[in-house]
Amino acid sequence: MKKSFSLSTVVRIVLCIVAVFAIFWFELPPLNLRSKDFWIFLIISAAVCFVIMSFGWLCDFLKGLKEDPLESRSAVKSLGKPAKVLLICIGAVIAFILVASLVGSQVFNASRYEKILTLEDGDFNVDVAELEMSQIPVVDRDTASRLGQRKLGEMSDLVSQFVIEEDYTQINYHGVPTRVTPLAYGDIIKWLGNCAEGIPAYIMVDMVSQETSLVRLDNGIRYSNSEYFMRYLPRYLRFKYPTKIFDNISFEIDEEGTPYWVASTVDYRIALWSGRDVGGAVLVNAVTGESEYYDFEDIPAWVDQVFDSEMIIDQLTYNGKYRSGFINSIFGQKGVLQPTAGYNYIAVGDDVYLYTGMTSVMSDESNVGFVLVNLRTKAARFYSIPGAEEYSAMSSAEGQVQNLGYVSTFPLLLNVSNRPTYFMSLKDGAGLVKMYAFVDVANYQVVGTGNTIDEARKNYISKLRVEDRDIVDKEEISVEGTVEAVGSAVLDGNTVYFIRLTSGEDVYSVPIKLSDSLPFVQPGDSVSLTLAGAEVTAFQLK
């Protein structure tokens, strides 16, 4: 049988190189032996190259199959040896992947999995400071998304060209809990029209005040997940750091408001690719593309979320599950714990912590305690405070307003009068926050609701006192002085007077309900105020 078609060896090699590069371009595997994706990339590349190198033979074989079947069978035999070698190599790689995965499995390494995350015992009242009512975050991801869409809708020059990414990373920005997320190109046509200038802004939502800002940039964001070619963020990172195994990539801003991508890198703690953990992070300036790799201990303090929340939940699961070995985790299950079905974030100091409850593996509605995990350092503390599981507390809060049909957000853990307390917003069917609720962790029947946070808290404290007469709602102090300036405003339908004394710079907010004499206060008058923290609880005009 005469050959009717053939490709030169050089051409076939060039095609192999192009094909392998194309696979790498789209799949972006790390060139690292400790990555399963790398080995899968090798298998696919080898198979594709084999087909290309055998392409001329394949064409001849198909044509000859019609002309001379006997000679075609001979051609099959001539190619049989290389094909067998390829299959043996692929089989060996697959076997290697299976063996490496088995060696690193939880069956043989239960104690090592349990130690990936170390829990220390914590003192809740020491570690978690009591917040003023004006500092409590009320915005969850869903509310932040609604506020962001509303803000973008107000910008007529942007709404037709860009959409909002659903990142909404929670950070601490100048000490304020904040969610940030970038804009993205609406589609490839919008990208063609705007890529030269880049993405012009990002969204920032104050989780306390609900103030939503669209922050315009002098120079647009040029590296993101909505870009193409070499400005597509995962591809940009892969070509700059070909051996790094990337995990979570989050959007954050530094203290000057400069947008960055924080790309965490994976370090496997067990065997070849088991026991996933964070070993460092690459920080990419989203505008200029400038990047730098930091080892774990050198990551800048302004970065808030190095660890992906799901990774932390996995590690907490290992810690609770394998405390007494693998067999105990299946049979007996003595002392076995697991995280509850949800989590939230709280700000402690200048860091963001993941909060979740820990419960037994049995189906009950109570927690044996809860954990706080720093998402930058992975410092983790366990608080042995038995109480209601979060969803039980949510149901309890919803039960207080069942006639209104409001739905609770997932709780936020707060310190109220030195008691662990769940705080949640209550939303209507349209997703709008209508009320607030405080629920005691130890006794989820103690619920305080109100149209404002302050009203809900006071209702909660009064119910706590019914259960425990020793409850003290912050230490009260008295302040006396001469009025230097006074003004008023209507907040949430109530008149509030703002008074500054000559003895200091503090401005005291005094609700009209505390005294009928407030409308008659003038500069120069002597007054007495009673404070519980920063809250004025009593007022007297002397």
Side-chain angles (χ1 to χ4, degrees):
M1 181 177 67
K2 295 182 178 180
K3 292 186 177 180
S4 59
F5 182 84
S6 66
L7 292 173
S8 69
T9 301
V10 173
V11 171
R12 283 181 285 181
I13 291 174
V14 170
L15 288 175
C16 285
I17 294 173
V18 171
V20 171
F21 182 79
I23 295 170
F24 182 80
W25 177 269
F26 289 105
E27 295 300 322
L28 301 173
L31 303 181
N32 191 315
L33 296 176
R34 300 195 67 180
S35 169
K36 286 183 184 179
D37 291 339
F38 171 72
W39 293 99
I40 293 172
F41 165 70
L42 287 183
I43 291 174
I44 295 174
S45 297
V48 170
C49 288
F50 178 80
V51 171
I52 291 173
M53 296 300 291
S54 306
F55 182 74
W57 170 89
L58 183 62
C59 291
D60 290 339
F61 169 73
L62 293 175
K63 185 174 182 179
L65 193 61
K66 295 181 178 180
E67 299 175 354
D68 190 347
L70 185 61
E71 188 173 347
S72 294
R73 286 195 294 272
S74 176
V76 169
K77 291 181 180 179
S78 68
L79 197 67
K81 187 174 182 180
K84 287 180 180 179
V85 171
L86 174 65
L87 291 175
I88 290 172
C89 291
I90 291 176
V93 172
I94 293 175
F96 170 74
I97 292 174
L98 293 176
V99 170
S101 299
L102 181 63
V103 169
S105 69
Q106 298 163 30
V107 177
F108 303 111
N109 301 276
S111 62
R112 296 178 67 185
Y113 275 92
E114 186 258 334
K115 292 181 175 64
I116 294 176
L117 182 145
T118 303
L119 286 177
E120 297 180 357
D121 291 333
D123 185 328
F124 180 76
N125 293 330
V126 172
D127 296 341
V128 182
E130 185 165 359
L131 297 176
E132 300 298 335
M133 293 303 100
S134 60
Q135 298 175 308
I136 295 177
V138 299
V139 174
D140 60 2
R141 181 183 293 273
D142 176 67
T143 301
S145 178
R146 293 173 185 272
L147 292 172
Q149 291 294 344
R150 185 185 306 167
K151 174 58 67 173
L152 181 62
E154 297 172 0
M155 307 296 170
S156 58
D157 61 321
L158 298 179
V159 70
S160 63
Q161 299 296 309
F162 299 92
V163 295
I164 300 177
E165 292 276 16
E166 290 300 315
D167 290 26
Y168 286 102
T169 309
Q170 181 168 333
I171 64 173
N172 273 357
Y173 183 63
H174 295 296
V176 178
T178 304
R179 286 189 181 269
V180 291
T181 192
L183 300 185
Y185 301 106
D187 52 44
I188 191 170
I189 303 300
K190 307 297 193 312
W191 172 77
L192 287 170
N194 295 279
C195 64
E197 293 78 23
I199 297 170
Y202 60 84
I203 297 286
M204 183 163 61
V205 181
D206 186 317
M207 296 178 64
V208 176
S209 67
Q210 303 190 54
E211 179 182 353
T212 306
S213 306
L214 188 141
V215 182
R216 292 183 182 266
L217 300 165
D218 294 334
N219 297 298
I221 294 173
R222 297 176 180 274
Y223 299 86
S224 72
N225 293 319
S226 64
E227 281 285 354
Y228 295 87
F229 304 110
M230 284 305 296
R231 278 163 46 178
Y232 173 56
L233 183 63
R235 184 172 295 120
Y236 179 74
L237 285 167
R238 175 55 60 229
F239 277 82
K240 288 205 70 173
Y241 303 92
T243 63
K244 295 295 183 185
I245 304 172
F246 291 106
D247 185 65
N248 181 52
I249 301 178
S250 60
F251 180 81
E252 295 196 28
I253 58 176
D254 65 11
E255 295 301 310
E256 287 72 46
T258 304
Y260 277 85
W261 295 102
V262 180
S264 303
T265 59
V266 172
D267 187 9
Y268 293 108
R269 306 297 185 194
I270 301 170
L272 197 61
W273 46 58
S274 302
R276 188 169 61 104
D277 203 5
V278 169
V282 173
L283 270 57
V284 182
N285 186 309
V287 175
T288 66
E290 295 177 356
S291 65
E292 185 172 354
Y293 171 77
Y294 294 88
D295 288 328
F296 178 71
E297 60 273 9
D298 299 325
I299 295 172
W302 63 262
V303 177
D304 287 305
Q305 294 211 27
V306 176
F307 286 86
D308 177 58
S309 299
E310 296 302 326
M311 178 189 287
I312 294 296
I313 294 298
D314 286 344
Q315 294 184 3
L316 284 172
T317 301
Y318 299 147
N319 183 271
K321 187 176 183 180
Y322 298 125
R323 293 184 176 187
S324 299
F326 180 80
I327 294 177
N328 180 71
S329 70
I330 300 175
F331 305 103
Q333 299 183 321
K334 183 179 180 180
V336 174
L337 302 176
Q338 64 183 0
T340 50
Y343 57 83
N344 211 329
Y345 307 99
I346 67 173
V348 179
D350 194 39
D351 288 315
V352 174
Y353 283 70
L354 179 142
Y355 147 76
T356 188
M358 296 295 288
T359 185
S360 69
V361 293
M362 305 303 292
S363 299
D364 57 32
E365 297 181 350
S366 62
N367 289 340
V368 299
F370 53 88
V371 295
L372 295 179
V373 184
N374 189 311
L375 291 179
R376 178 173 61 86
T377 67
K378 207 177 76 169
R381 292 186 177 180
F382 174 77
Y383 303 88
S384 181
I385 303 176
E389 184 260 350
E390 293 90 336
Y391 288 95
S392 298
M394 292 166 63
S395 297
S396 184
E398 291 169 355
Q400 294 291 310
V401 292
Q402 58 182 339
N403 59 311
L404 300 173
Y406 295 161
V407 177
S408 170
T409 59
F410 192 82
L412 184 68
L413 185 69
L414 300 179
N415 181 344
V416 178
S417 294
N418 289 330
R419 291 178 71 97
T421 301
Y422 293 129
F423 169 79
M424 54 211 79
S425 300
L426 299 171
K427 298 182 177 182
D428 63 11
L432 301 176
V433 175
K434 294 298 185 180
M435 296 182 70
Y436 304 95
F438 290 87
V439 180
D440 188 40
V441 171
N443 181 2
Y444 69 99
Q445 299 297 331
V446 179
V447 183
T449 60
N451 294 316
T452 65
I453 296 176
D454 188 55
E455 179 184 341
R457 180 179 175 278
K458 288 179 179 178
N459 187 5
Y460 171 65
I461 292 294
S462 67
K463 292 185 178 181
L464 272 181
R465 285 176 174 151
V466 173
E467 299 292 325
D468 186 351
R469 294 183 181 276
D470 294 330
I471 289 292
V472 177
D473 183 17
K474 300 182 183 178
E475 182 180 356
E476 293 188 336
I477 61 172
S478 295
V479 176
E480 297 183 353
T482 302
V483 176
E484 180 181 8
V486 61
S488 65
V490 177
L491 302 177
D492 296 324
N494 300 304
T495 303
V496 177
Y497 286 82
F498 301 95
I499 298 174
R500 186 172 68 231
L501 304 181
T502 56
S503 57
E505 296 296 323
D506 291 335
V507 176
Y508 302 100
S509 303
V510 188
I512 183 64
K513 63 183 179 181
L514 292 183
S515 175
D516 293 335
S517 62
L518 278 166
F520 306 103
V521 175
Q522 299 291 331
D525 289 343
S526 296
V527 298
S528 174
L529 303 97
T530 301
L531 304 177
E535 180 185 354
V536 178
T537 59
F539 174 85
Q540 183 179 1
L541 176 62
K542 294 187 175 180

